[in-house]
Amino acid sequence: MNDSRTLPQAAINWLNHANRQELLAVDSHTGGNPTRIVLSGIELPSEVATVDAARAWLRDHADHWRRRLVHEPRGGGLTCAVLPIPSKEDGCDIGAVILEPGSYPPMCGHCMIGFASVIVELDLLPDLWKVDTAVTEFRIRTPAGPVGVTARREGEKFTTITLTNVESFVVSRGDCEVDGNILPVELLYGGDYYISVDATKIGLSLDRSNATEIVRLSRRLKDAFTANGVYDPISNGLLDVYQVLFYEYDPETPHNAKIVVVAPPGVIDRSPCGTGTSALFAKLVTEGSIDSEDTLTTQSIIGSTFTVTAKSVRKTADRLFVTPALTGRAYINGFLIIAADEDDVLADGFAPL
């Protein structure tokens, strides 16, 4: 019997038969949402040395790598990928470019928990663990800015990741008309922007059996809210807003919330969404529904959870800025080699339906 840990010779022969442009990756999931971490196969030009430069180069000159990694038929509407960048900028230990089906987002909580978990599990950073230590810390530079990682273990067993996210805040509040109804809407930021609605106020069930209606309403809301562009009311800068966050929050149980995020093309996040959790926590702290030193547990549509508290709070004349500390865990699902056949017209993938 062949050793299952050895790539079969037939596969090696096929890969070597032509220029297959192989990518080696490790797949993980965070609270049910997948993250694909690239281990090798993408070479950046020597002059592309920072996270922002790598993100721009991929977007403008090599977008086929994103499409191969996360589009169908290899991925789908939920698949996200992370390309590690060997950058020490801003005092970080490593950098990351995030690749999603529709864009190169500035930040993704479940992706960074997945990336950090893979770094810990595969010991991808040198001297990560000191002898007999139960906690280690490192920093990842994302397009949204540096994020901190605190990894914990019991003996040799890895347990959790706490992600110190970028500052999160309430951008604006207002109303939006959808299907003839006026919906109270808040625009929140937690590393990415969210059109946010209290589901209980509009009679929307966040049960998985109601997924079709959740997606339908999110599409209508997103189209209506962004029809004339979305601008920051303070800086007047044009914002890239493309995700909708529905939540259930009862002041009688102030340390628990349910979050359902819908991302393009209309797919529900299976995790409670790290940046969405950060955004909602910042909103609750801003309005006084919860104290910054308290811990909020968020639950996804499938029942997976994150916890979040405040690392720090900063107030200006215009806004309250909360730096969230988000705790979760990712699990490695497997390892894969992604390859392209030169005769395959769909080798670079096609956008998820």
Side-chain angles (χ1 to χ4, degrees), residues 113-289:
I113 291 175
F115 183 33
S117 298
V118 168
I119 287 173
V120 171
E121 294 269 50
L122 301 186
D123 203 21
L124 296 183
L125 288 174
D127 303 319
L128 188 63
W129 295 103
K130 294 182 174 62
V131 177
D132 297 328
T133 56
V135 176
T136 190
E137 296 182 340
F138 54 95
R139 283 160 60 86
I140 302 171
R141 174 55 155 83
T142 74
V147 298
V149 174
T150 300
R152 301 175 184 86
R153 67 179 179 181
E154 297 175 359
E156 293 300 313
K157 185 178 180 181
F158 163 58
T159 54
T160 61
I161 291 289
T162 295
L163 197 70
T164 301
N165 196 6
V166 298
E167 288 187 318
S168 304
F169 53 90
V170 177
V171 180
S172 63
R173 295 181 172 92
D175 293 328
C176 185
E177 183 176 350
V178 179
D179 296 336
N181 298 312
I182 303 299
L183 307 185
V185 176
E186 294 160 310
L187 183 63
L188 309 177
Y189 180 80
D192 210 346
Y193 292 97
Y194 292 92
I195 306 163
S196 177
V197 176
D198 184 343
T200 57
K201 289 185 177 179
I202 63 171
L204 179 68
S205 167
L206 297 185
D207 291 335
R208 60 188 298 167
S209 61
N210 200 39
T212 299
E213 175 58 16
I214 293 170
V215 170
R216 186 201 71 81
L217 181 58
S218 73
R219 285 173 164 167
R220 297 282 292 150
L221 176 57
K222 183 256 183 183
D223 288 346
F225 191 87
T226 63
N228 298 313
V230 182
Y231 296 85
D232 187 299
I234 296 174
S235 69
N236 203 36
L238 180 64
L239 306 178
D240 185 15
V241 179
Y242 55 91
Q243 298 185 95
V244 174
L245 185 157
F246 297 111
Y247 65 90
E248 292 177 351
Y249 181 76
D250 184 352
E252 296 297 318
T253 55
H255 300 110
N256 295 278
K258 188 170 187 177
I259 291 180
V260 174
V261 164
V262 183
V267 184
I268 292 175
D269 194 329
R270 270 53 168 171
S271 82
C273 185
T275 49
T277 290
S278 298
L280 180 63
F281 183 71
K283 163 201 151 55
L284 296 176
V285 171
T286 298
E287 67 188 20
S289 297

